[in-house]
Amino acid sequence: MVRLPHTLAELERGERLGALLRRARGERSMLEVALDAGVSPETLRKIETGRVATPAFSTIAAITEVLGLSLDAVWAEVSRPAPDPGSGNSARNARERLVSAGSIAQVRSRLGR
């Protein structure tokens, strides 16, 4: 199977996703988060460093659930262009927006799944 090279937009989105997951992980160890999500620590490391620009949906869903993040909020955060460094947006504000959106488990329980 031939893989097409990633576009610049995909690479940048992958870097934003990795940075977001690192911030959300906080002080938790990479090993703990990876094992709780059912992925290898190497996979999580590659995603967090941007080496995997387009990880599998199921992988991101598992990691965001462990971190208590909303998939919708994660997508909204990583799909927008990188903020201007002088805009005053902080990592803490991004984390607060993501957590306030609710976790997958909360959404599922609201939907009765």
Side-chain angles (χ1 to χ4, degrees):
M1 179 170 106
V2 176
R3 287 184 155 253
L4 297 175
H6 293 300
T7 65
L8 180 58
E10 289 172 328
L11 295 172
E12 289 173 347
R13 192 171 46 240
E15 288 174 2
R16 287 191 300 273
L17 174 63
L20 184 147
L21 294 177
R22 277 193 309 276
R23 288 190 310 268
R25 185 166 53 83
E27 297 297 318
R28 291 178 69 181
S29 75
M30 189 177 289
L31 178 64
E32 175 189 352
V33 171
L35 293 178
D36 287 350
V39 301
S40 73
E42 180 67 10
T43 296
L44 181 56
R45 185 186 65 74
K46 286 179 180 178
I47 293 169
E48 285 190 359
T49 59
R51 287 192 52 216
V52 176
T54 57
F57 175 81
S58 58
T59 301
I60 296 306
I63 294 168
T64 57
E65 184 170 15
V66 167
L67 295 174
L69 303 175
S70 158
L71 279 173
D72 289 334
V74 169
W75 175 249
E77 194 71 30
V78 301
S79 64
R80 69 175 63 138
D84 178 5
S87 69
N89 287 344
S90 70
R92 182 174 178 205
N93 289 341
R95 168 88 171 127
E96 288 170 359
R97 285 194 308 273
L98 292 170
V99 172
S100 69
S103 71
I104 294 171
Q106 291 168 330
V107 172
R108 284 182 182 156
S109 69
R110 280 184 250 152
L111 295 174
R113 293 183 184 173

